[in-house]
Structures are given as structure tokens and as C-alpha cells.
Amino acid sequence: MSRFYITTPIYYVNDVPHLGHAYTTMVADALARFHAAVGDETWFLTGTDEHGQKIEEAAQKRGITPRALTDEVSPRFAAVWRELGIANNDFIRTTEARHQATVRALWQRMADAGDLYLAAYEGWYCVGCEAFYTESQLVKEGDAWHCATHKRAVDWVAKERSWFFRLSKYQQPLLDYIAAHPNFIRPEGYRNEVVAFLQSGLRDLSVSRTSFSWGITPPAQDPEGLKHVIYVWLDALANYYSALCEDGKLDSPRAQAMWPGAVHLIGKDILRFHAVYWPAFLLSAGLPLPQSIVCHGWWTVRGEKISKSLPATRIDPVVLAHSIASASNVTHGNGIGVDAVRYFLLREVPLGNDGDFSLESLFARYNAELANDLGNLVNRSLTLVHKFSAAYAPTVAGTAHHEGLAGHIVALRQLTDEVCRDARQQFTDFAPARALETIWKLVREGNRFVDGTAPWVLAKRAKAGEAEAATDLQLALGYLRGVLHVIADLVAPVLPTAARVLHGWLGVTRAPQWPDGAAALAEPPAGPMVASQAPLFPKLDDAAMATIAKAVLPSEALAPPAVSVGTAAVTTSPEAAKTPAAASVAPLTAPPAPMPLVTYDDFAKLQLLAGKVLTAQAVPKAKKLLQLQVDVGEATPRTIVAGIALAYAPEALVGKQVLVVANLQPATIRGVESHGMILAAGDDAIVGLAGVDQAVAPGTRVR
Ligand code: MSP
């Protein structure tokens, strides 16, 4: 048995949870459920980040104390996670005594290592990120330097006395550690980003502030008598460790047991804090590093990151889940709506990539994969097994008489082995989208099994006295029951409510456990099975979709997109945009003018490669253009100028996978030499980037 300790970032309490926060928490929850199901000793931590200038300012704006603000908002996070069925084992608040004691102990160790010294800090600070920046990391807009994430002017911190941490000392040890532990930062693209950052050199880090007071005071005295509070990121990162410590003791037995299995799941916005600062603090304190930092991308709405600062992007995960449940008239509770959201978020985008959220894609997956594929299998199989099992007891023991049935059984057994093995590996490798894709192979095979074995025909023949048909029917029913058992357990990490309902129908009373391949098809039910019930995931019709869209989309997000027909820009009417179909950009396209045919040889002259955007910046005085650095698997990245600035903010592109025409003749555009072209959809107005539906290595050929 291994130990698996998964954490989410602790969320700032100046905000209430939106779909972006819910995504991280749902992924962590699914991974925790998976590890528990394979028998690992599992612990799942989330919580709230409550100190720092940002919270102090948010409280001041509301005219309340920081304590009152944190006491009001932190429980709202806990309540949303409860509403979303999140099964965290612990919830930590950085204002708790247990956390503060650990932070001080950690500080003391860092001081004892000779890594803290007093000096003065001067420079730019983004209160949104709670981070110090150099000008090369900021964007100049007019006269002011702006933070690329928060899109607002940064503050100048003028000569503030501060404790400094010798971060520079850990540059080489961190590079060595990452080289020796290739899975320390995952997926690989993010590891490369961190390595590049480390190689560019580390400057010592200011780890205390004296200009405000909402934070933990360090154990050290300042000889000048100034009152410091510990830098909020040092405070916050320590939560992962402090949640395991008793009375702030760094060597608590629980910490020693669980820490080596620690996995920090984070969004890409906070990679540097987790993959550079946190390991450096731990090395300084003489503590082991966590097992992995697993980084995911951003959910955007129309290309903009879902965030507090952009109200048009805010989607409330509880409203979304509840509206799906009520609009589709589910009979099995709001948990089914939550399952639908979890399924979509985890299936739609490989962990690590960005994803643009649209209700159209959610509805399409819901109807095709949940209502249709899974729902049909469950309903048909339950009906059949229940109807015939009194007379023909289901079993998987014995040999089929009919060759067709024998073939289906072999295929089903083989695929069950394969799917249980592969999906297990994919969950273990933090690839839930691939695991779900794998599991759906079995769901579809189950439907083929029903169609191909036609148990209702076997039943007719058995009733007419054919003994062989009777034993074949018992087998068909046994395998159908078995495949439902297996599928209920396979989907349980991502669809916990659906799995629980299905287990109830199947007479399974135990907690979900990862199935052991085809052997699991033979598990006998612990209790009676019930007849087919109302559908697990009722199909969403147009009216249901419109109701959900109305409930979920912030009014700004409904603003109709400008789309182009030929050369004229057309805008859909506000009324029409309220229906989900009209809210999408697809339907308004004129038939394309016929183009001359090309031969395959002509096509093969194009070198199409998968690439990854490393940096993106505006091209001065060209409002449609962005200058990108794109890794296409060559020794140095390509500079490419792309006309996509109206559709994508530069920071939304960083880390994105794109398709590149790599052998296009270089061209100088607005003074920048461009070496290739990014493939995108749209005419005058770009409406989306072309891509590959899996994460692939930069340089992978596309054909
Ligand atoms: N308090 C810090 C984290 C400290 S951890 C020691 C913080 N908090 S936050 O409230 O801003 O939440 C950040 C996390 O929320 C991101 O890292 C990510 O996991 C999640 N997300 C917030 N917006 C998101 C999207 N639009 N898309 C995906 N995840 C997003 O940073």
C-alpha cells in the first residue's frame, strides 16, 4: 500500500469560488477517490489563504477587520465544496493556531540554516499575485507597468525593510533535484518552464513585510524594533506541511509518514511559487520535498481566464450543477448535476492544457457520453437483468453455446482487462481525461454486447424450450451485470453520485474499489438488484439547455460575438444570443467558395508541426498581431507573428498547444521576422486555434 497525500492551492478569501477554483478541487477529489479505490492510504487537503496585503485591503474596502472578512468568506469555500460533494479530509485556514506555529518553526529552521538576513526591498509588487516583479516580467501600458495576470498597474514598494531569504543559494540544488526526479514537476512542459527560469538565475527573496500588519509575525526580532509579518507566500505554502503537524512540530509522526507521498495540484499561475520557492524553503529547513507538483492550465471563457477581475467570465459551479440537475429533471439529486460538471471538466481537456469553457461542448458531451452511452447501457442492462434473472440466474461460469455470444464474451473479458489496467495507469499518471476516454471504450463495448447478444431473443428461444438458449441467456445476463459492476467502480472517482446510485441498483453495498480486470465481472451482488429506474442522466432537450444557459451565464458573457460572413461582420441579436445555440459562434457561416483541388503531393509539401507557445506579446501599433515564441521541438524556439490578438490575450496563449506551418517562407511583419504560421479558424475574425486533441510533444508531425 502506498500513501497519497493530495492538496489543492489554498484559495484567497477576497473572492468566492468560481468554476476555475472548482476545477482544481474536483480534479484533486477525483484523484483522491481513485487512490482510495486502489487501496492507497489517502489524504486530501484543501483550505483558505487568509493573510497578506490583498486580504487586508479587501477588508479595508468593506470597512471590516481582516479577521471578520476571513471568518465570513472561508466558510463559504467550505460550504461550496460540501455542495459539490468534495470529500476533503481536512480544511486548513492559515489563521489557525496550528498553522501559525508551524510557519514560525519553519522560519526558525531557515534562520538556523543561515538563510535569512535583513536588508531593504525596493521594486514592483502586484497585490493580486502577492508577488515581486522585475520590469522584464511586466507589461508596460501607457506610463504604468501592469501585471500580465491581473491586468492592472503594479505598486512601487519604496525601500521597505525586510528579511531576505537566500534563494540564490538554492538555484543549483534545485536544478540538480529536478534533473534527478523527472516526475517532480508535471506535466513535462511545466518542468521545462521551471528549469528555464532557474537557469536564468535566482535573486534572493524578500520574505517579510513591514508596511502592513495582517500576517504571522516571525520569531526573530528586528534590532531596529520594526514589526514584520511573514511574506504571505511563505506563510501560505507552509499549509501543506502544517496540516500534518501537531502543535507546530515539524517532525510530527503524521508529517513524516504522509509527506513523502505529497502531491500539490496547482494552476499554472502559481507554478513558480510551488516549484521554486517552496522547495527552496523546504531544502533550507532540512525537510524532504513533496513527491510531485502537478500543474494544470486555465479555464477560459471566450479566451479570457475565468477570474474575479473579469465578471463576464465568472461561472458559479453550484449554479451550473444545480441547473443541470433541475433542468433535466434528474431524480437522483443535485449530485448528478455535479457529476455532469466533473465529467465535462475532467474529460474535455487533458490535465495541463488550457480549456475554453462553453455550454455547447458541455451539452454535447453530456448528451452523447453520459445520457446516451452510459445511460443507455445502464438502463437496457438493468431492465434485461431484472426481467429475466428470476427464471435464468445470471452467471459468468460456463461456456457459451452460440459462437456469437462466445465471441462477445471473449471481447468483453479482454477489453475489461485492458481498460482496468490502462485507466489505472492513466489516473496514476494524472491523466484523468485519458482514463475517461479509456473507460468509455468499455461502456461502448457494453452497448455492443447488448446489441450483439440480444438477450431478449435468447429469452424467447429459452421460453420455447431450447436448453442451450437458456444457459446462454444466463451467461449474457451474468456478463451484463458484471460489466455494470465494473463500470460503476471505474467511473466512481469522477462520477461518485452516479456510481453510488448504480451500486444501489446493483445491490452492491461496499465502497468503490478499483476493479481487478475481468475477474471483477464475476463479483456476486451483496443484495437484491432493482428494476431499471428513471435515467441516471436524463437527456437535455433544447428547452433544458436554454434554461441552464440562462441560469449560468453572467449577462456579460451572453454578449453576442461578432462573427464574419464573407467579408461583412455580423453580430447576433441579444435576444437570439440567449439561447445556447445562438451563443456559439459556429452557425453563421456562408458556404465557402469552391477552391481548386490539390494533389496529395501538393499537400505533403507542407510541414505541419505541433508547437507550444512559450511567450506571447503584443506587436506595438498592430492591434491584431501577437509576437509568439513557439517551441516546435527544435533547438531554439521560433518567432512567429500571428494575427490573433483580437481573439486571444497574450497570457492566455502561454503554454497552449498550437499547430504550426513550419516550412512557410519567413516574412517580416511590422519589423518582426516571422518563421512560420499558426493555424486558426475564422476568416477576418479569428474564432479559435487549430489543435490536436491530446497533449503531444512539440515537434510532433501533423498530417
Ligand atoms: N492563495 C493562492 C494559492 C496559495 S497555495 C499555497 C492563490 N489562490 S487563488 O484563490 O487565486 O486560487 C488559485 C488557484 O485556483 C489556481 O492555482 C487554480 O488552481 C485555480 N484557478 C483559479 N482560476 C482558474 C481558472 N480560470 N482556471 C483553472 N484554475 C483556476 O493563488
Side-chain angles (χ1 to χ4, degrees):
M1 190 176 72
S2 343
R3 294 198 169 102
F4 183 74
Y5 169 41
I6 179 112
T7 65
T8 71
I10 47 170
Y11 301 104
Y12 286 128
V13 287
N14 67 329
D15 199 0
V16 287
H18 56 59
L19 198 66
H21 304 122
Y23 174 62
T24 316
T25 313
M26 286 174 167
V27 173
D29 183 76
L31 293 170
R33 287 176 192 267
F34 164 74
H35 279 271
V38 297
D40 291 342
E41 186 182 339
T42 302
W43 197 253
F44 169 19
L45 173 75
T46 187
T48 42
D49 188 352
E50 305 189 7
H51 288 130
Q53 191 175 346
K54 171 153 141 162
I55 305 302
E56 191 174 280
E57 285 180 6
Q60 270 162 8
K61 263 192 208 143
R62 286 194 44 201
I64 56 177
T65 62
R67 170 56 85 177
L69 175 73
T70 58
D71 284 350
E72 176 193 312
V73 181
S74 175
R76 286 166 76 176
F77 272 87
V80 166
W81 303 148
R82 260 197 311 280
E83 203 62 53
L84 295 176
I86 299 298
N88 51 302
N89 301 97
D90 192 2
F91 186 99
I92 190 158
R93 299 183 53 181
T94 52
T95 44
E96 286 176 72
R98 61 169 172 161
H99 172 73
Q100 307 207 16
T102 309
V103 173
R104 286 203 189 92
L106 189 72
W107 175 286
Q108 194 55 54
R109 288 260 195 115
M110 291 160 66
D112 294 346
D115 284 343
L116 299 177
Y117 61 92
L118 278 164
Y121 177 79
E122 184 172 49
W124 295 110
Y125 192 78
C126 170
V127 181
C129 302
E130 294 280 20
F132 304 101
Y133 286 118
T134 58
E135 285 177 359
S136 64
Q137 296 165 324
L138 298 167
V139 185
K140 188 115 192 211
E141 279 185 25
D143 285 343
W145 288 103
H146 277 63
C147 160
T149 304
H150 290 90
K151 296 190 171 143
R152 64 175 208 204
V154 288
D155 296 337
W156 178 254
V157 177
K159 288 249 170 337
E160 184 171 322
R161 189 165 161 85
S162 164
W163 287 97
F164 273 72
F165 169 64
R166 292 188 204 284
L167 183 63
S168 53
K169 177 175 153 188
Y170 293 95
Q171 175 179 348
Q172 198 51 45
L174 284 174
L175 281 167
D176 294 345
Y177 189 89
I178 294 168
H181 300 83
N183 281 337
F184 180 55
I185 301 164
R186 337 178 43 150
E188 197 190 347
Y190 293 109
R191 184 180 69 222
N192 299 341
E193 228 170 79
V194 172
V195 168
F197 177 73
L198 284 168
Q199 281 167 341
S200 71
L202 291 183
R203 302 191 329 173
D204 288 354
L205 181 72
S206 158
V207 287
S208 76
R209 302 288 308 269
T210 40
S211 54
F212 64 90
S213 60
W214 182 237
I216 302 175
T217 47
Q221 293 296 322
D222 179 343
E224 285 185 10
L226 274 178
K227 192 170 169 279
H228 294 245
V229 289
I230 295 176
Y231 176 39
V232 65
W233 271 101
L234 169 50
D235 166 349
L237 287 159
N239 90 88
Y240 303 131
Y241 203 89
S242 65
L244 300 176
C245 296
E246 283 136 43
D247 306 325
K249 290 197 188 73
L250 297 176
D251 54 359
S252 299
R254 182 147 183 77
Q256 287 182 340
M258 291 309 284
W259 187 246
V263 171
H264 301 321
L265 181 70
I266 57 163
K268 66 179 184 183
D269 44 337
I270 53 177
L271 178 62
R272 184 176 306 172
F273 303 100
H274 284 79
V276 178
Y277 299 173
W278 178 225
F281 298 154
L282 287 166
L283 287 177
S284 165
L287 292 170
L289 303 196
Q291 190 192 91
S292 275
I293 289 144
V294 177
C295 192
H296 66 70
W298 282 346
W299 279 98
T300 55
V301 169
R302 297 251 173 93
E304 293 288 353
K305 181 184 181 230
I306 298 178
S307 64
K308 176 184 162 71
S309 45
L310 290 172
T313 63
R314 299 190 63 93
I315 290 171
D316 182 325
V318 174
V319 172
L320 176 61
H322 286 193
S323 67
I324 293 174
S326 65
S328 62
N329 287 321
V330 294
T331 32
H332 312 293
N334 283 332
I336 290 289
V338 175
D339 279 9
V341 176
R342 289 166 70 102
Y343 179 80
F344 174 73
L345 294 178
L346 270 71
R347 174 67 188 86
E348 180 78 354
V349 170
L351 198 72
N353 291 12
D354 289 343
D356 198 50
F357 179 85
S358 82
L359 284 178
E360 291 75 23
S361 318
L362 187 152
F363 295 152
R365 279 205 189 273
Y366 177 100
N367 276 341
E369 292 158 32
L370 295 176
N372 223 16
D373 294 341
L374 181 62
N376 270 350
L377 174 67
V378 168
N379 268 30
R380 297 201 295 165
S381 311
L382 271 181
T383 308
L384 290 166
V385 180
H386 192 260
K387 185 164 173 194
F388 298 121
S389 58
Y392 307 95
T395 178
V396 296
T399 329
H401 296 281
H402 192 272
E403 248 180 60
L405 176 62
H408 275 292
I409 290 176
V410 171
L412 190 69
R413 293 188 68 91
Q414 264 178 12
L415 194 68
T416 305
D417 276 337
E418 197 181 302
V419 166
C420 293
R421 187 195 58 223
D422 293 353
R424 180 179 178 138
Q425 193 56 50
Q426 287 154 344
F427 270 126
T428 307
D429 290 341
F430 303 98
R434 295 195 55 206
L436 287 171
E437 192 183 356
T438 302
I439 294 165
W440 251 247
K441 285 190 202 165
L442 189 61
V443 173
R444 295 192 181 113
E445 184 61 28
N447 278 316
R448 269 194 294 276
F449 188 93
V450 180
D451 295 336
T453 61
W456 53 93
V457 177
L458 290 171
K460 260 195 199 147
R461 287 175 24 212
K463 213 170 165 199
E466 241 185 81
E468 289 186 351
T471 50
D472 274 1
L473 177 58
Q474 286 184 281
L475 276 175
L477 298 177
Y479 275 100
L480 277 183
R481 189 180 68 190
V483 81
L484 289 186
H485 270 233
V486 168
I487 285 171
D489 280 321
L490 290 174
V491 300
V494 178
L495 307 178
T497 301
R500 190 167 25 78
V501 173
L502 194 47
H503 271 160
W505 291 346
L506 291 168
V508 175
T509 49
R510 56 165 175 74
Q513 66 191 26
W514 193 256
D516 186 17
L521 293 164
E523 182 183 334
M529 271 186 64
V530 301
S532 180
Q533 305 279 313
L536 259 184
F537 294 100
K539 217 166 181 131
L540 295 170
D541 59 16
D542 287 349
M545 294 191 242
T547 311
I548 298 167
K550 206 164 166 206
V552 168
L553 294 181
S555 47
E556 297 89 331
L558 285 170
V563 290
S564 55
V565 179
T567 52
V570 175
T571 302
T572 48
S573 79
E575 266 329 289
K578 284 193 178 131
T579 68
S584 81
V585 269
L588 282 176
T589 42
M595 298 271 287
L597 295 177
V598 293
T599 62
Y600 177 77
D601 287 344
D602 281 341
F603 169 73
K605 287 181 194 151
L606 287 179
Q607 188 191 19
L608 298 176
L609 299 177
K612 184 176 171 189
V613 179
L614 302 178
T615 63
Q617 65 189 77
V619 174
K621 298 198 193 111
K623 65 178 195 269
K624 286 190 176 176
L625 299 180
L626 290 182
Q627 179 179 339
L628 313 174
Q629 290 292 315
V630 183
D631 178 2
V632 290
E634 299 166 336
T636 47
R638 300 258 187 136
T639 300
I640 298 178
V641 176
I644 55 177
L646 297 182
Y648 291 91
E651 65 278 10
L653 288 167
V654 175
K656 224 179 173 59
Q657 187 165 284
V658 288
L659 296 188
V660 176
V661 183
N663 59 338
L664 195 69
Q665 267 190 0
T668 302
I669 305 170
R670 296 281 175 139
V672 183
E673 191 161 38
S674 178
H675 295 266
M677 188 174 94
I678 306 284
L679 290 184
D683 250 341
D684 286 350
I686 295 302
V687 291
L689 289 176
V692 190
D693 68 349
Q694 303 289 334
V696 298
T700 304
R701 191 178 154 211
V702 177
R703 57 211 170 104

